[in-house]
Amino acid sequence: MDKKYFFFDIDGTLCYGLSRTVPACTQACLAQLRAAGHFVSIATGRLQKDALAIAQRIGISTLVADGGNSVTLNGRLLSMESLPVPACVRFIHQLEQKGIPWAAVIHNELEQIAPDGRYRRAIDRDYFGIVEDPAFDYTAQPVFYKLMVACSPQRESSIDFGTLPHVRYTPDRLMIEPTSKADGIKKMMDELDAPYSDVVVFGDGMNDIQMFGDQWFSIAMGNACPELKALADYVTDRCDRDGIWNACKRFGWI
């Protein structure tokens, strides 16, 4: 058997949407992959601490998180990089000038800091806690892991993002977060001294596009966005219709 190195997105791939519910069939598939000697990891845009908690529930302790900016091997955080700080500072300054509410994630915690109550009032709900700190000086921060921007799709068109990557998950908010999962996967494979050609990735969303390249095998879920399906080597069934199990059976990995 040729050993494969599997990297699974979480939301919409392993789990139903944002529910964190992993189908029993998918959990059984992951167990069989590990039993067959394959390497099983996560590749997610979620914050490292959040992603690790989800992964460990299903027996996974290795992950590429923060959209490729953090790498965790066997439960040990090897690296966690910030978004480019000068670009973040310029971006927040622009939001301040435009009166657009924002919050920043500067710790590896499910906590975001806002300078006032505008951000809390502008969004519907959030699984990150919100700390309002009028003394928060965004110009003095050494790292930014994510930036949250409360704005509609219509107002988004007025914002200059520069080179900062951004993804919209809800109608009332978008995130500035890394979308370079492929870079994180390569870091992991280099750490393992394993060939990129043995990688298999599963994904569903726009933030998975960068990891769907020609350096390895890419599988899109049946519920994936059309843009990702167009890049996939194979399109399987939906995540809630045994998509991961069916693909792994088809290719003889389990």
Side-chain angles (χ1 to χ4, degrees):
M1 178 208 72
D2 292 331
K3 181 175 182 177
K4 295 296 182 183
Y5 294 77
F6 291 91
F7 292 84
F8 297 95
D9 172 55
I10 294 178
D11 303 304
T13 301
L14 285 177
C15 301
Y16 304 139
L18 298 175
S19 69
R20 300 190 177 192
T21 300
V22 180
C25 186
T26 298
Q27 295 191 48
C29 180
L30 299 180
Q32 289 197 28
L33 288 173
R34 289 192 293 266
H38 298 298
F39 176 89
V40 177
S41 179
I42 299 293
T44 179
R46 284 181 179 262
L47 194 71
Q48 189 270 347
K49 185 172 183 179
D50 182 29
L52 184 59
I54 296 171
Q56 287 178 330
R57 280 195 356 248
I58 52 176
I60 299 175
S61 58
T62 294
L63 57 141
V64 170
D66 297 279
N69 273 25
S70 71
V71 175
T72 302
L73 181 60
N74 298 325
R76 183 169 66 90
L77 181 61
L78 301 183
S79 63
M80 187 168 181
E81 300 175 10
S82 169
L83 288 161
V85 172
C88 289
V89 170
R90 288 193 297 271
F91 183 72
I92 295 173
H93 182 66
Q94 176 193 173
L95 297 180
E96 285 286 291
Q97 289 184 317
K98 294 178 180 291
I100 298 175
W102 59 273
V105 177
I106 60 171
H107 304 295
N108 188 17
E109 299 286 346
L110 289 179
E111 173 188 279
Q112 52 197 331
I113 301 177
D116 51 47
R118 292 178 302 151
Y119 177 78
R120 186 191 299 274
R121 292 191 297 270
I123 62 171
D124 181 35
R125 54 190 172 85
D126 203 325
Y127 70 96
F128 276 75
I130 302 174
V131 175
E132 294 172 10
D133 182 3
F136 180 64
D137 182 2
Y138 66 87
T139 66
Q141 302 309 310
V143 297
F144 292 98
Y145 295 126
K146 295 180 187 291
L147 296 177
M148 314 297 195
V149 183
C151 73
S152 65
Q154 293 74 24
R155 196 168 193 189
E156 179 182 341
S157 63
S158 71
I159 300 173
D160 179 6
F161 293 93
T163 59
L164 288 174
H166 58 284
V167 181
R168 178 176 291 277
Y169 294 110
T170 63
D172 60 356
R173 185 192 62 182
L174 58 83
M175 289 187 184
I176 305 299
E177 65 176 12
T179 55
S180 54
K181 292 184 182 182
D183 296 339
I185 291 171
K186 289 176 181 178
K187 290 176 189 175
M188 180 73 78
M189 296 299 285
D190 291 344
E191 181 72 22
L192 298 169
D193 194 24
Y196 298 163
S197 58
D198 287 337
V199 168
V200 179
V201 299
F202 282 75
D204 73 293
M206 292 295 290
N207 68 337
D208 295 318
I209 283 178
Q210 195 263 356
M211 74 172 180
F212 272 46
D214 57 7
Q215 62 268 62
W216 47 61
F217 196 72
S218 304
I219 298 178
M221 306 304 294
N223 51 280
C225 62
E227 295 88 344
L228 195 69
K229 288 181 178 179
L231 296 173
D233 295 303
Y234 179 71
V235 178
T236 188
D237 301 300
R238 294 175 53 87
C239 67
D240 56 352
R241 295 291 185 268
D242 302 338
I244 290 175
W245 174 276
N246 293 341
C248 289
K249 287 291 284 187
R250 176 184 175 87
F251 292 104
W253 297 319
I254 58 174

